[in-house]
Amino acid sequence: MTQEHQEGGRGWSAARKGVWSRLRFTSLRLRLVVVFGLVALTAAVSASGIAYWLNRESVLTRTQDAVLRAFEQEMQNRAGALPEHPTQDELQRTAGQMANSSQRFAVLLVAENPEGQTVYGSSGGLNGFSLGDVPESLREAVTERLKVTSNNKYPHHLYWQRIVEDDTPYLVAGTELIGGGTTGYMLKSLEPEEKDLDSLAWSLGIATGLALIGSALLAHAAATTVLKPVQRLGAAARRLGEGKLDTRLRVSGTDELADLSRTFNKAAEALEKRVADMAARDEASRRFVADMSHELRTPLTAITAVTEVLEEELEFEGGGIDPMIQPAVRLVVSETRRLNDLVENLMEVTRFDAGTARLVLDDVDVADQITACIDARAWLDAVELDAARGIHARIDPRRLDVILANLIGNALKHGGSPVRVSVREEPAEGAETADGAEAEDVSGGSVVIQVRDHGPGIPEEVLPHVFDRFYKASASRPRSEGSGLGLSIALENAHIHGGEITAANSPDGGAVFTLRLPRDVSAAESGEKAGDAGDEGAEGDA
């Protein structure tokens, strides 16, 4: 795959992740849209349901009342004109006339002919509306004779019922003429009204959908209006966290978000002032240490020369130093050396703080370098070395010597001998060929040096502070032989190489310091610069 395809794939993946991050339900924007949509949907469905129910009842009731009035009037006018015992032809003719009314309903008339037989007259002929189409409960209610009272003046009433056959709604009604005689039934199809109601339901459904879409758009617009200041606040907070303390928000309005922006600006202003004050004090402190260290070097050089002469006199058997003051002279010599080491360490720390420390790289054999460090300090009898020759690295030999001297010296001083120094190499991640075999070029790997002692170990509460400057594990021992800067300087030297030092306790007892350095510091620095350039380009594209 070419680099262009890889970059294109990464860009598409990043865009997809960006869209998903905006659409996931944890997004406040999506939650606002969903809530607005649910509220609008609930309101629209409720309003549409109520409107449909009210219109349905109104349409059906209006149609039903009109049909029942027309049927009742036809029964009085036409069926009431029939003789008490009509013939079937008379019933058939009267049913046809009644069906031709303005409401256009089917009619069935039932009566007894002069011979006492039950005859039927249907407006639809023999295959039209029949008694079997009338529900039995309705027939019983129509033929039932009620008791006439003050509250009930008639023995028969008009009864009606809505039925559904073959998915078609119908209105069925029936009544018997007062005084006996003909019984009439009516069947009216409500399919036109049902179609009108279906059209109304579709219209209300479409209106509900449009209301839902409109509410979603309005919710999106409202969310954008609300969230845009929040997004600006989040971006400003990120810039503030990146150290851009001059970040401020443009404030407009008097709402809660405007108050939040004003509060952020005040907090950023106070933080900038506090950081500036701390930076000024820190710079003044560093300048003081640097100036003091330089000023001390001149008198210290003269003092060192004098102490060297005094030391030579002490070592010379026929020296002229009074034996009574020899302990004082030895104390002056040792304290002068300690002061000289302290000044050198302070100057080294000052260079790290000022960012002026530089590497002088060279190809070295790590085992030879460790051996030279141990031999120069006469530690051969107290240190065990487990390092194979041939492990090469491109590093600064002087700074590596400083790191090793501090780590091994600290182990001998606080942990006790024997101190074991082991070296191993680690290949770079992904340093494999296409067929899965390890690549021959491991210059991108790391060199790992472990310094382990056999002492009591480091207390757990002290472990996080072993690399702090001037840190002392016990406040009851304010003065120690060291300056309190050795491990801190070792860590700074590891960092300038792009490496790291960690401290831990071994399960078998004793403390273990692990130094990890890149095999080729120059390659590591080039990779970091390329990565920084890539990040800047990505920010620009975003």
Side-chain angles (χ1 to χ4, degrees), residues 83-88 91 110-120 181:
E84 183 177 356
H85 298 286
T87 63
Q88 183 173 3
L91 289 178
V110 182
E112 291 185 358
N113 60 11
E115 290 78 15
Q117 299 176 342
T118 301
V119 292
Y120 303 92

Side-chain angles (χ1 to χ4, degrees), residues 232-491:
R232 287 200 296 264
L233 183 61
R238 284 192 295 271
R239 289 196 300 270
L240 197 65
E242 293 169 358
K244 300 175 182 178
L245 301 180
D246 58 342
T247 302
R248 299 293 185 274
L249 289 172
R250 185 175 67 253
V251 181
S252 60
T254 58
D255 56 6
E256 289 81 359
L257 291 175
D259 292 339
L260 180 60
S261 299
R262 294 188 185 92
T263 304
F264 175 85
N265 288 340
K266 292 178 181 178
E269 184 178 356
L271 180 62
E272 183 181 18
K273 185 177 182 301
R274 180 67 61 84
V275 171
D277 293 342
M278 293 178 61
R281 287 196 296 268
D282 188 53
E283 181 63 27
S285 176
R286 292 179 183 177
R287 191 182 306 112
F288 170 75
V289 173
D291 294 343
M292 182 189 69
S293 301
H294 281 88
E295 291 298 329
L296 284 176
R297 292 195 69 180
T298 300
L300 189 58
T301 301
I303 295 173
T304 302
V306 173
T307 55
E308 288 177 355
V309 173
L310 292 175
E311 188 176 15
E312 290 176 0
E313 289 292 330
L314 288 173
E315 294 175 355
F316 183 62
E317 294 182 357
I321 297 180
D322 189 342
M324 296 295 293
I325 64 172
Q326 283 185 6
V329 173
R330 294 183 188 279
L331 179 61
V332 170
V333 171
S334 64
E335 291 300 315
T336 301
R337 288 177 179 171
R338 183 171 178 273
L339 180 60
N340 191 51
D341 292 340
L342 177 59
V343 171
E344 290 298 330
N345 287 338
L346 286 174
M347 293 189 67
E348 185 73 4
V349 168
T350 302
R351 283 191 287 269
F352 281 122
D353 290 342
T356 58
R358 295 292 181 267
L359 294 175
V360 180
L361 301 179
D362 192 10
D363 292 324
V364 298
D365 188 302
V366 178
D368 290 343
Q369 189 70 23
I370 298 175
T371 302
C373 175
I374 296 173
D375 186 37
R377 292 161 180 82
W379 290 338
L380 290 175
D381 295 336
V383 178
E384 297 177 359
L385 179 60
D386 179 16
R389 297 184 182 275
I391 301 178
H392 291 272
R394 184 169 178 77
I395 55 180
D396 188 329
R398 184 186 71 82
R399 296 190 181 277
L400 178 60
D401 182 78
V402 172
I403 297 173
L404 293 172
N406 280 292
L407 294 181
I408 299 173
N410 182 77
L412 289 171
K413 184 185 303 180
H414 300 287
S417 60
V419 173
R420 183 177 180 82
V421 181
S422 60
V423 181
R424 71 176 188 272
E425 53 183 337
E426 291 183 350
E429 295 182 0
E432 295 182 354
T433 58
D435 57 359
E438 291 188 1
E440 295 183 0
D441 182 12
V442 292
S443 60
S446 302
V447 175
V448 180
I449 303 173
Q450 281 190 338
V451 179
R452 177 189 170 191
D453 60 51
H454 290 78
I458 306 173
E460 293 297 327
E461 67 273 10
V462 177
L463 269 176
H465 306 285
V466 292
F467 296 105
D468 293 351
R469 297 177 184 178
F470 302 109
Y471 178 78
K472 296 183 183 296
S474 175
S476 63
R477 295 185 299 149
R479 186 180 186 278
S480 61
E481 296 180 3
S483 63
L485 294 172
L487 292 179
S488 175
I489 291 174
L491 183 62

Side-chain angles (χ1 to χ4, degrees), residues 61-83:
T61 301
R62 184 171 59 251
T63 302
Q64 173 182 297
D65 292 345
V67 171
L68 293 178
R69 282 197 302 270
F71 175 65
E72 188 175 17
Q73 185 176 2
E74 291 293 329
M75 284 292 295
Q76 292 175 358
N77 294 338
R78 297 187 182 276
L82 290 172

